[in-house]
Amino acid sequence: MQPSYRIGYGVADLRREYPKRPFVAVAIIAINRGNILLEKRRNDPNRERWTVPGGLIELGESTDQAAVREMMEETGLVVAKLRLFDVFDSIIRDDTGKVKYHFVNIYYSVRIRGRKLNAGSDAIDLRWVSFADLNHYDLTDKFRVFLCKNKKRLRWLAS
């Protein structure tokens, strides 16, 4: 007798909070004239904190396609060129140590066409911010760790 496998996801499997498995998302590093594009998040996790644009990959969508789509949806900007930059885990635990959120973020660096920002439904605000001014923003904890890990590579992109 062969083992039976459950195909598909139940409603409980799709919850972002206290998930049964990690979610895969893209995050987009856009740099223009030495400034990085930041988004103030409208939704949890990290509501009203700053990070880079991005979001979950949709079923049947490649990571490249997701990065292009998320950039357009959240910022109104068109991606002209993208390059894989880093892969970074974002695991947030509650006070008891249980995993509350778990995302695997695939970071892309992009070149964009156009410069007029238009915040989509997931963003409260969008801003081009100099690397020197990042400490004045309430960045997400995981994005701060990402910045520290990639400081040299990001500065090279900005030059």
Side-chain angles (χ1 to χ4, degrees):
M1 182 171 174
Q2 291 187 346
S4 63
Y5 296 97
R6 185 169 167 232
I7 298 174
Y9 298 99
V11 172
D13 293 336
L14 298 176
R15 289 187 324 207
R16 291 185 191 187
E17 198 170 289
Y18 297 103
K20 292 187 180 243
R21 62 186 48 90
F23 286 92
V24 182
V26 293
I28 300 112
I29 305 293
I31 298 176
N32 185 29
R33 298 180 183 161
N35 297 316
I36 187 168
L37 180 60
L38 293 184
E39 171 183 302
K40 190 172 191 179
R41 293 186 50 80
R42 183 176 304 280
N43 303 310
D44 280 328
N46 297 302
R47 181 189 332 217
E48 296 189 8
R49 296 184 76 191
W50 293 89
T51 189
V52 293
L56 293 178
I57 297 168
E58 295 177 357
L59 184 65
E61 182 177 53
S62 72
T63 57
D64 290 5
Q65 291 168 333
V68 170
R69 176 186 52 77
E70 285 290 343
M71 191 65 159
M72 173 58 82
E73 287 178 2
E74 294 189 8
T75 71
L77 299 175
V78 176
V79 171
K81 182 178 179 182
L82 70 148
R83 174 175 282 157
L84 181 63
F85 188 84
D86 197 1
V87 177
F88 197 81
D89 291 302
S90 180
I91 303 168
I92 300 171
R93 297 181 184 275
D94 65 16
D95 293 338
T96 68
K98 189 172 178 183
V99 174
K100 187 172 182 178
Y101 297 102
H102 185 171
F103 296 92
V104 177
N105 295 302
I106 301 170
Y107 281 83
Y108 281 94
S109 62
V110 300
R111 293 201 191 275
I112 54 167
R113 287 193 299 244
R115 291 188 177 90
K116 185 173 180 178
L117 296 175
N118 182 22
S121 62
D122 290 346
I124 294 171
D125 194 6
L126 298 166
R127 291 190 190 162
W128 292 104
V129 178
S130 73
F131 284 92
D133 289 338
L134 285 174
N135 287 330
H136 301 295
Y137 287 80
D138 183 19
L139 302 175
T140 66
D141 297 335
K142 298 300 180 181
F143 185 56
R144 277 195 193 281
V145 171
F146 172 84
L147 286 171
C148 289
K149 176 185 173 201
N150 290 289
K151 185 182 285 187
K152 288 182 184 178
R153 290 177 67 204
L154 289 167
R155 292 207 186 273
W156 180 81
L157 275 178
S159 61

